[in-house]
Amino acid sequence: MRAEVADLLNRKADQYNRPPFIERDPVSIPHLFTARQDIEIMGFWSAVLAWGQRPVILRKAAELIDLMDGAPYEFIRSHQEIDLKRFLAFKHRTFNATDALYFIHFFREYYQQHASLEDAFVDGVNPGAADVGPALMAFHDRFCAESEYFPARTRKHIATPARNSSCKRLLMFLRWMVRQDDRGVDFGLWARLKPSQLVIPIDVHVNRVAHRLGLLESRDEKPAPPDWKTALRLTDTLRELDPADPVRYDFALFGLGVEGEL
């Protein structure tokens, strides 16, 4: 990696890994809460909804909070059947009421047996795995396992490396939960996954910037849409800069892309 590119990434990672950066970012939603389960529920839900314009994403996440009376975990645990009717009008792009109701069902069943959503990603997974790919596949299978209640349409909202998806939104959620750097952005609530195992959340912005900087090679003038293999290749490149925490450069790549600095 060229020295000037490495210097740029380090400077921009430091610039954007700060609380002022998150005011317009979906990670600001779980920052509204202090209880672990509230952070997990709204962090996960905000990440899943994170496609499209950021103001709309924030508005729809806030709508979900209002529908759960401002207390997601308490609502998940104690809601009555009649309380679910208020979700019938919820929609964000292709995510609709059917999906929302299954999310609530999954959370309720899950938190009756577990104290943290972390278990859904790590139980039964080799802790020495090179990356979080196996954790994502385990979560996908667990989330979609209830054949009696699971609506087939909801599967498209839970990505998995098994389908060669880039898994951008779930990787973003894992970054929030796993990274620990005391900068006030990522939460670092989970300890059973390591920052070194995280994979870069790659979207069109990050993909474009990575190609412009030579972090990803392509013979095509217009990069192909990113997939899981692309995410792994980019993460391997970023490990040259920081083997213990390669995903901290997500701040630099996304920031450079969304702010239009290139």
Side-chain angles (χ1 to χ4, degrees):
M1 186 184 302
R2 301 194 311 273
E4 59 269 27
V5 173
D7 178 67
L8 174 67
L9 291 175
N10 280 310
R11 285 190 291 106
K12 291 301 178 181
D14 179 68
Q15 175 183 341
Y16 289 119
N17 187 12
R18 300 174 184 272
F21 173 71
I22 71 173
E23 294 176 357
R24 295 176 293 141
D25 191 86
V27 74
S28 65
I29 295 296
H31 271 284
L32 298 172
F33 302 93
T34 56
R36 180 190 188 98
Q37 291 85 359
D38 285 327
I39 292 170
E40 290 177 344
I41 291 168
M42 286 315 304
F44 181 80
W45 219 330
S46 299
V48 169
L49 295 181
W51 81 103
Q53 296 182 344
R54 287 196 289 174
V56 177
I57 297 166
L58 297 182
R59 187 169 69 248
K60 299 307 290 188
E63 182 180 336
L64 280 173
I65 295 172
D66 288 342
L67 290 172
M68 292 186 283
D69 300 323
Y73 183 50
E74 179 61 28
F75 180 88
I76 292 297
R77 289 192 301 171
S78 61
H79 69 270
Q80 302 299 312
E81 193 74 21
I82 193 171
D83 298 323
L84 299 178
K85 291 184 177 181
R86 66 184 77 167
F87 290 86
L88 295 179
F90 184 83
K91 181 176 175 60
H92 174 59
R93 298 175 74 95
T94 65
F95 190 98
N96 67 14
T98 298
D99 307 312
L101 292 174
Y102 181 75
F103 272 52
I104 294 169
H105 168 78
F106 173 82
F107 285 139
R108 185 171 197 170
E109 294 294 310
Y110 180 83
Y111 279 113
Q112 286 178 349
Q113 304 176 53
H114 302 268
S116 171
L117 195 58
E118 180 180 19
D119 296 341
F121 286 86
V122 301
D123 280 357
V125 175
N126 179 3
D131 57 62
V132 295
L136 290 174
M137 287 187 279
F139 177 79
H140 170 273
D141 294 345
R142 184 169 285 119
F143 186 89
C144 303
E146 290 201 37
S147 57
E148 182 180 356
Y149 295 102
F150 181 70
R153 59 157 286 117
T154 304
R155 187 181 301 273
K156 65 184 175 183
H157 297 299
I158 306 298
T160 172
R163 295 198 294 267
N164 199 28
S165 168
S166 68
C167 300
K168 178 257 182 178
R169 287 171 282 169
L170 288 182
L171 288 174
M172 183 171 65
F173 171 68
L174 289 182
R175 195 204 84 197
W176 298 347
M177 296 298 105
V178 173
R179 285 194 71 251
Q180 304 179 34
D181 62 2
D182 299 321
R183 297 293 296 269
V185 180
D186 294 328
F187 292 90
L189 292 178
W190 296 356
R192 295 166 67 190
L193 290 170
K194 301 180 180 66
S196 61
Q197 295 173 294
L198 293 174
V199 175
I200 193 80
I202 183 169
D203 61 4
V204 293
H205 297 295
V206 170
N207 192 40
R208 175 170 52 84
V209 172
H211 279 87
R212 288 281 301 275
L213 295 178
L215 303 174
L216 288 170
E217 295 183 0
S218 174
R219 295 182 180 181
D220 300 324
E221 184 174 333
K222 184 177 181 180
D227 56 20
W228 181 249
K229 294 176 183 177
T230 311
L232 290 179
R233 283 195 293 119
L234 179 55
T235 304
D236 285 342
T237 300
L238 296 172
R239 284 197 177 100
E240 297 175 17
L241 290 178
D242 193 338
D245 189 16
V247 172
R248 76 182 181 93
Y249 295 106
D250 181 32
F251 292 101
L253 295 172
F254 183 77
L256 285 166
V258 78
E259 300 296 332
E261 291 196 46
L262 292 181

